[in-house]
Amino acid sequence: MKSFTFERVDSPAAATMAFTRTPGARFIAGGTNLLDLMKLEIETPGHLIDVSRLGLDKIEPTSDGGVRIGAMVRNTDLAADARIRRDYGLIARALVAGASGQLRNKATTAGNLLQRTRCPYFYDTNQPCNKRKPGSGCAAIAGFSRNHAIVGASDACIATHPSDMAVAMQVLDAAVETVDAAGETRSIGLADLYRAPGNTPQLETVLAPGELITAVTLPKPIGGTHIYHKVRDRASYAFALISVGVVVQRDGSGRVALGGVGYKPWRARSADAELPRGAKAATAVLLADAKATHENAYKLPLVERTLASVLAQAKG
């Protein structure tokens, strides 16, 4: 790990100001992803800004009947919160399906959404990776692509987004609140937070340099049966081959999103409308633009079969 300087701030404004005055700075909260990347010298920030003590660790009701989750709420606390378990059970289920208890104790809500891909070629600094070194090429495309994207990929990158929680929040129409160095705030729908890889896969979100996520908001509860099913190579401590998050209502209508298939949690509202017709119809819409390799083509039928199982479970 390369040497770096460290600074602790006490407000979001101080955090964004510190970022602008220090070239090469990065925010750090739980550090469960960033520190690993620094140890491997995939990321080499010259300055770390500790944002873990900004008071952004509360889960509060909103005026419209929803909930506001502070960016620094730990994954363990979010999964255990009574309101989340009762009204947004999909989030609690997705969180428990991800990582270990020790990691959930440290990982934060915003950090979970912003974690970087677990593509093995991204982590291997001896391999070309456009996400790690723009213009160097993508070793995954001609390499071992079993775990890689089947939708939303490009000729420059076929990496997937690793978050389980993000899949659940996509189903529930979450949005992130941010503040920048000028003190300007904005709300970004989670569906719009992540950039498609295109020719610039190193640009993973629409956040501007120094823009800090302060909270995640959820609209009022939608009821229904909440199910998150994660398919992986082993029963625990593994990232998804594919995952399915659904909310199904009594009349068979609902919402669905997928994990492990693209650069972001994958949802198509037109697929929601197909849920009453069954898994085959919904999958056909969700994966309409799928482009699989020989090694990850198994994900196409796996999505349909997993969604069918989840819908059957939801119907009792």
Side-chain angles (χ1 to χ4, degrees), residues 129-154:
C129 172
N130 290 316
K131 190 179 286 290
R132 176 171 27 84
K133 186 178 180 182
S136 62
C138 176
I141 291 177
F144 186 63
S145 57
R146 179 173 176 268
N147 294 341
H148 289 78
I150 56 174
V151 285
S154 72

Side-chain angles (χ1 to χ4, degrees), residues 49-315:
I49 303 166
D50 182 0
V51 295
S52 64
R53 302 185 183 186
L54 305 186
L56 305 176
D57 57 355
K58 297 178 178 60
I59 304 172
E60 303 169 309
T62 59
S63 59
D64 63 356
V67 67
R68 186 175 187 271
I69 304 163
M72 305 306 157
V73 172
R74 304 292 175 175
N75 287 177
T76 294
D77 296 331
L78 183 59
D81 184 84
R83 289 164 294 186
I84 298 299
R85 290 169 64 88
R86 181 187 67 238
D87 298 331
Y88 306 96
L90 190 59
I91 291 176
R93 289 172 170 80
L95 283 168
V96 172
S100 65
Q102 294 93 328
L103 285 172
R104 292 196 297 270
N105 288 342
K106 291 294 292 181
T108 63
T109 298
N112 188 302
L113 295 177
L114 297 178
Q115 62 184 300
R116 306 196 70 185
T117 183
R118 265 43 179 206
C119 171
Y121 296 101
F122 173 72
Y123 273 80
D124 185 350
T125 55
N126 293 312
Q127 298 289 338
C129 172
N130 290 316
K131 190 179 286 290
R132 176 171 27 84
K133 186 178 180 182
S136 62
C138 176
I141 291 177
F144 186 63
S145 57
R146 179 173 176 268
N147 294 341
H148 289 78
I150 56 174
V151 285
S154 72
D155 292 337
C157 182
I158 59 171
T160 60
H161 194 273
S163 173
D164 292 294
M165 184 190 76
V167 177
M169 288 191 166
Q170 185 78 294
V171 174
L172 298 171
D173 288 337
V176 299
E177 295 179 351
T178 71
V179 62
D180 63 18
E184 297 292 329
T185 61
R186 63 170 171 160
S187 177
I188 308 167
L190 191 64
D192 301 318
L193 176 64
Y194 302 104
R195 289 179 181 265
N199 294 320
T200 55
Q202 75 279 10
L203 302 176
E204 297 174 350
T205 72
V206 299
L207 298 178
E211 189 172 9
L212 178 71
I213 294 178
T214 55
V216 176
T217 58
L218 296 168
K220 63 182 181 181
I222 60 174
T225 300
H226 293 222
I227 300 176
Y228 185 78
H229 189 85
K230 180 176 180 178
V231 181
R232 43 191 164 179
D233 282 327
R234 59 181 188 269
S236 60
Y237 309 153
F239 292 97
L241 298 174
I242 66 104
S243 63
V244 175
V246 301
V247 175
V248 181
Q249 306 296 339
R250 288 180 179 273
D251 63 0
S253 64
R255 302 178 183 180
V256 59
L258 305 176
V261 299
Y263 67 92
K264 66 177 182 178
W266 204 256
R267 183 182 176 203
R269 292 181 184 273
S270 53
D272 294 350
E274 297 295 326
L275 282 179
R277 296 180 56 202
K280 184 174 183 178
T283 301
V285 176
L286 281 165
L287 303 182
D289 298 321
K291 183 180 179 182
T293 69
H294 174 71
E295 291 180 337
N296 66 16
Y298 74 92
K299 291 190 177 187
L300 298 168
L302 183 59
V303 166
E304 182 180 335
R305 292 169 186 168
T306 305
L307 180 55
S309 175
V310 167
L311 292 178
Q313 182 182 349
K315 294 174 183 177

